[in-house]
Amino acid sequence: MSQGMDRTLYGNVFHRNVCWQRSYETAEGEEIVMALYGSLRNGFYNNRRFDLQNTSEFLGTTKIDGYSLYSLGPYPAVYPSENGSVVAEVRRFSGKKQLKVAKSIDYMELFGGYHRKYVDLELTGKKLKGIIYVYDEKPETEKIQHGDWARYLKEKELHE
């Protein structure tokens, strides 16, 4: 890797870090709504790691149009796609303790090659805005047509 490339990479990470810190200088009592589609869903590793059952409020499951789901091996990625849709669990983080957890998730995602996108979410009878983490570049891996990571892993297990 050339030195110029290295500097650019570092520059991007540094810039992202500054933006990340700034975006979290929020007023106390604010809340964050996240649409989680992979390892942060109920029953999966990062859900347990962040203890989401006790550190956030589950609002329901929804389908988000305009994105496709891809397998990156142990976890998935979403990327904009006209005909795709992704199954996501919607969770609300509010209060100082829960926002700290949201901040940790955000940090993990942003430094893992994802960026935040605000999307309109529809849950039975209510509409709200939330964050979905979109992969920085289009994955060259398997596209999961039905958009459901849990179903994909279950089906994969059956065929192995």
Side-chain angles (χ1 to χ4, degrees):
M1 180 150 56
S2 77
Q3 210 168 355
M5 178 81 162
D6 192 41
R7 202 173 294 125
T8 307
L9 194 69
Y10 176 77
N12 287 345
V13 170
F14 178 74
H15 174 73
R16 201 181 268 177
N17 190 15
V18 169
C19 292
W20 173 76
Q21 285 175 336
R22 242 184 248 137
S23 70
Y24 266 97
E25 288 164 8
T26 56
E28 247 183 75
E30 203 170 308
E31 61 177 40
I32 292 171
V33 172
M34 288 183 181
L36 309 170
Y37 55 83
S39 67
L40 287 157
R41 282 178 65 180
N42 194 18
F44 291 105
Y45 165 71
N46 277 322
N47 184 291
R48 290 189 296 274
R49 180 181 157 206
F50 291 107
D51 191 22
L52 294 184
Q53 306 306 331
N54 300 308
T55 57
S56 66
E57 181 192 350
F58 176 71
L59 300 179
T61 303
T62 189
K63 239 183 177 171
I64 303 167
D65 294 328
Y67 293 91
S68 283
L69 188 70
Y70 295 84
S71 170
L72 297 181
Y75 51 87
V78 300
Y79 197 78
S81 159
E82 229 172 90
N83 309 319
S85 67
V86 174
V87 175
E89 287 178 9
V90 181
R91 291 193 167 274
R92 177 191 289 132
F93 299 83
S94 54
K96 214 173 183 173
K97 225 182 201 162
Q98 289 191 4
L99 285 173
K100 207 173 179 174
V101 172
K103 198 172 180 176
S104 298
I105 290 170
D106 199 61
Y107 187 85
M108 174 186 80
E109 298 288 3
L110 296 184
F111 284 85
Y114 297 78
H115 60 275
R116 283 189 223 122
K117 207 75 178 152
Y118 286 89
V119 288
D120 293 316
L121 302 168
E122 213 165 308
L123 294 164
T124 34
K126 33 175 191 191
K127 289 181 180 199
L128 60 160
K129 267 211 183 303
I131 295 169
I132 189 171
Y133 290 97
V134 178
Y135 208 54
D136 288 343
E137 34 197 87
K138 187 176 182 182
E140 297 296 321
T141 54
E142 183 188 357
K143 186 186 211 175
I144 300 163
Q145 296 301 335
H146 53 65
D148 186 337
W149 184 243
R151 178 179 152 192
Y152 169 77
L153 289 182
K154 232 175 254 162
E155 288 170 359
K156 201 174 161 189
E157 223 171 77
L158 291 173
H159 292 31
E160 282 180 354

